[in-house]
C-alpha cells in the first residue's frame, strides 16, 4: 500500500482524491489547503484528516508521496519540504510558473533523488502510445492541432485561471498539454509565432486573458505545426492531426482514438483504457512501491522543456514576433 497526501483541495485536488478512492494500492493519509472552506468540504467528502499547515501534515502523517495540486506559482516550498524528508513528489502541470522556479525545483529533486512525476496525463493514453508506434521511422511533415474547451463560459470555474498574471491564460495553463504531448511524439520545438485575441469573451476586471489564440511552431527536425486554442467553445475537442506523404493520422486525445492511414493502410485504434488521471497516479504509486523512476512517463526534468515551449509561445503571442526556443 502506498500512502499519499494531497496539497490543494480545489478542482484538481478533489478530482485526484476521487480517482485515488478507486485505486486499491493507494491510501490517502492527509489533505491540506490554506482555504478553510475548501479544506472542510474535502474533509467531509473524502473522510480524510485535513490540515491547514503543510509541514505539520508531512510530519504527522509521514506519507510516501505528496500529490501537489496548487496553482503553478506554489511549487518550490511544497517540493522542498517534501523531498528533503524523502517524500516522493507528483506535481500538477504546469511544472512551475517560470523557468527560474522550475530550475530550483529540479535542483531539489536531483539533490534528494525522490521519485517525481508531472501531471501530463495524455502521455499515459493508449492512443498516444499507438501513435508513437505508427509514426516510428516514418516521416511527419505537417501537424494541425486544436484544443477547444469552455472554461471561459463556465461561471463556477476558479477565477485565477482568468487572471493573466496568475494562470498565463490558455497558452500557458492548458496548451502546455498539447506542447508536451507534441514534443513526446515529434521532437523539440525550435521557433514559435502567433496571434491571440478575445474573440468571444471580452476582457474585464477579473478576465485579463485573451480567450483564443493560434500559433505556428517549427521543430528542430523541420516539422511545421499549427495549433488553434480557445476557452470559449461549448464542448471539449482535443485533436492532433499528423500529415505527410507516408501517413495521415488523427489522434483524438479526448476520445482516446487514433484513425487515418499509414502507407495506404486504414488505421482505427480505440484505446480500451484511457482513464488517464488514474493511469498517471497508478504509475506514480507503482514507481514509489518499486523504487523505479522509469515507470513515470513525465519526469520533472523533461517537463521543463514543455514549460519552455509554453513560456515562449506566450512571449510570441504577447510580442507579436517570432521567438526562438
Ligand atoms: N491535468 C489537468 O487536466 C488539470 C486540470 C485542472 C487543473 N490542473 C492544474 O492543477 C493545479 C490546481 O488547479 P485547480 O483547478 O485545482 O485550482 P483550484 O483553484 O481549484 O485549487 C487550488 C487550491 O490550492 C490551494 N492552495 C493554494 N496555495 C496553497 C498552499 N500554499 N498550501 C495549500 N493549499 C494551497 C487553494 O486554496 C485552492 O483550494 C494547477 O496547476 C492547474 O493547472 C490540471
Amino acid at each position: 500500500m502506498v500512502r499519499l497526501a494531497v496539497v490543494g483541495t480545489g478542482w484538481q485536488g478533489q478530482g485526484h482524491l476521487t480517482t485515488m478512492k478507486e485505486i486499491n494500492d493507494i491510501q490517502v493519509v492527509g489533505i491540506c489547503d490554506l482555504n478553510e472552506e475548501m479544506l472542510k468540504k474535502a474533509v467531509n467528502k473524502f473522510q480524510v484528516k485535513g490540515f491547514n499547515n503543510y509541514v505539520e501534515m508531512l510530519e504527522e502523517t509521514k506519507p510516501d508521496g505528496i500529490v501537489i495540486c496548487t496553482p503553478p506559482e506554489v511549487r518550490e516550498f511544497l517540493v522542498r519540504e517534501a523531498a528533503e524528508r524523502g517524500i516522493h513528489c507528483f506535481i500538477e502541470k504546469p511544472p512551475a510558473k517560470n523557468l527560474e522556479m522550475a530550475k530550483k525545483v529540479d535542483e531539489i529533486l536531483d539533490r534528494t533523488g525522490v521519485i517525481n512525476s508531472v501531471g501530463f496525463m495524455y502521455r499515459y493514453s493508449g492512443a498516444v502510445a499507438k501513435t508513437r508506434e505508427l509514426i516510428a521511422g516514418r516521416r511527419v511533415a505537417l501537424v494541425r492541432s486544436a484544443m477547444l474547451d469552455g472554461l471561459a463560459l463556465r461561471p463556477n470555474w476558479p477565477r485565477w485561471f482568468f487572471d493573466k498574471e496568475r494562470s498565463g491564460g490558455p497558452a500557458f495553463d492548458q496548451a502546455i498539454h498539447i506542447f508536451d504531448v507534441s514534443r513526446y511524439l515529434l521532437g523539440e520545438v525550435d521557433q514559435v509565432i502567433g496571434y491571440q485575441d478575445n474573440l468571444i469573451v471580452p476582457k474585464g476586471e477579473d478576465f485579463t486573458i485573451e480567450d483564443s489564440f493560434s500559433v505556428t511552431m517549427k521543430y528542430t527536425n523541420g516539422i511545421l505545426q499549427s495549433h488553434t486554442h480557445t476557452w470559449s467553445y461549448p464542448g471539449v475537442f482535443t485533436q492532433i492531426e499528423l500529415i505527410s506523404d507516408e501517413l495521415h493520422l488523427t489522434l483524438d486525445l479526448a476520445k482516446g482514438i487514433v484513425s487515418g492511414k499509414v502507407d495506404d493502410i486504414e488505421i482505427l485504434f480505440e484505446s480500451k483504457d484511457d482513464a488517464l488521471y488514474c493511469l498517471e497516479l497508478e504509475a506514480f504509486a507503482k514507481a514509489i512501491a518499486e523504487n523505479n523512476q522509469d515507470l513515470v512517463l513525465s519526469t520533472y526534468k523533461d517537463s521543463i522543456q514543455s514549460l519552455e515551449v509554453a513560456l515562449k509561445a506566450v512571449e510570441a503571442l504577447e510580442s507579436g514576433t517570432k521567438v526562438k526556443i
Side-chain angles (χ1 to χ4, degrees):
M1 183 68 73
V2 174
R3 301 169 72 257
L4 299 181
V6 175
V7 57
T9 59
W11 174 266
Q12 193 66 356
Q14 293 209 25
H16 284 327
L17 283 163
T18 304
T19 300
M20 287 191 281
K21 264 175 94 167
E22 305 302 318
I23 304 177
N24 288 334
D25 299 336
I26 294 179
Q27 183 193 1
V28 178
V29 294
I31 57 180
C32 169
D33 205 298
L34 295 181
N35 180 321
E36 291 290 343
E37 200 186 323
M38 281 308 228
L39 182 62
K40 209 165 145 198
K41 265 194 208 157
V43 166
N44 287 338
K45 191 167 167 193
F46 298 99
Q47 297 294 305
V48 182
K49 183 156 184 194
F51 296 82
N52 57 17
N53 184 314
Y54 177 65
V55 172
E56 207 175 291
M57 175 174 78
L58 298 182
E59 286 290 322
E60 192 179 315
T61 64
K62 299 200 176 351
D64 301 312
I66 183 79
V67 178
I68 298 175
C69 301
T70 49
E73 72 265 21
V74 193
R75 297 280 185 265
E76 190 188 338
F77 168 76
L78 302 179
V79 171
R80 187 184 327 108
E81 292 300 322
E84 289 184 348
R85 289 174 170 79
I87 296 167
H88 307 289
C89 297
F90 176 97
I91 302 156
E92 255 312 331
K93 49 57 59 179
K97 188 79 179 74
N98 52 47
L99 279 182
E100 195 191 348
M101 187 196 290
K103 283 177 184 156
K104 285 185 186 159
V105 171
D106 190 44
E107 180 277 318
I108 297 166
L109 295 170
D110 274 349
R111 177 165 49 79
T112 55
V114 294
I115 292 195
N116 59 86
S117 174
V118 174
F120 284 127
M121 71 284 184
Y122 290 117
R123 289 192 176 215
Y124 295 86
S125 160
V128 169
K130 183 70 182 173
T131 304
R132 273 163 67 93
E133 193 186 306
L134 288 167
I135 65 176
R138 292 192 171 87
R139 180 171 25 232
V140 176
L142 292 163
V143 180
R144 201 162 69 142
S145 55
M147 194 168 203
L148 317 177
D149 204 333
L151 270 58
L153 306 177
R154 292 181 204 150
N156 59 351
W157 198 257
R159 295 312 294 178
W160 68 265
F161 277 86
F162 310 123
D163 175 345
K164 203 166 188 174
E165 276 299 305
R166 293 195 67 202
S167 85
F172 183 71
D173 176 81
Q174 198 184 43
I176 195 168
H177 278 300
I178 295 293
F179 301 144
D180 182 73
V181 82
S182 299
R183 283 186 52 244
Y184 189 53
L185 292 168
L186 305 168
E188 297 304 336
V189 179
D190 183 50
Q191 293 169 32
V192 57
I193 187 165
Y195 292 97
Q196 61 183 351
D197 214 335
N198 292 76
L199 298 180
I200 292 151
V201 179
K203 283 210 172 95
E205 212 170 282
D206 68 345
F207 195 93
T208 54
I209 60 161
E210 286 77 13
D211 69 346
S212 307
F213 74 88
S214 175
V215 286
T216 298
M217 297 181 285
K218 188 172 173 61
Y219 286 71
T220 52
N221 55 20
I223 294 173
L224 293 179
Q225 176 171 9
S226 75
H227 176 68
T228 299
H229 208 118
T230 186
W231 275 357
S232 296
Y233 176 79
V236 177
F237 179 98
T238 313
Q239 287 190 353
I240 300 179
E241 193 181 337
L242 309 173
I243 304 159
S244 79
D245 53 335
E246 299 176 4
L247 54 82
H248 191 165
L249 292 169
T250 300
L251 168 61
D252 191 316
L253 289 163
K255 295 182 178 156
I257 296 174
V258 55
S259 59
K261 273 189 180 180
V262 174
D263 295 335
D264 276 335
I265 298 166
E266 292 281 348
I267 306 287
L268 176 58
F269 174 86
E270 292 186 47
S271 182
K272 289 202 172 43
D273 186 3
D274 259 19
L276 305 180
Y277 295 128
C278 183
L279 293 173
E280 68 177 358
L281 290 165
E282 275 177 344
F284 177 57
K286 197 160 185 239
I288 294 174
E290 298 182 10
N291 191 26
N292 183 359
Q293 174 71 53
D294 292 346
L295 297 175
V296 169
L297 298 184
S298 175
T299 64
Y300 196 85
K301 202 171 283 300
D302 183 74
S303 78
I304 297 177
Q305 299 296 118
S306 300
L307 174 67
E308 192 160 7
V309 179
L311 289 167
K312 297 292 170 146
V314 169
E315 192 182 325
L317 291 167
E318 291 292 320
S319 65
T321 58
K322 182 169 78 182
V323 174
K324 198 158 164 58
I325 292 170

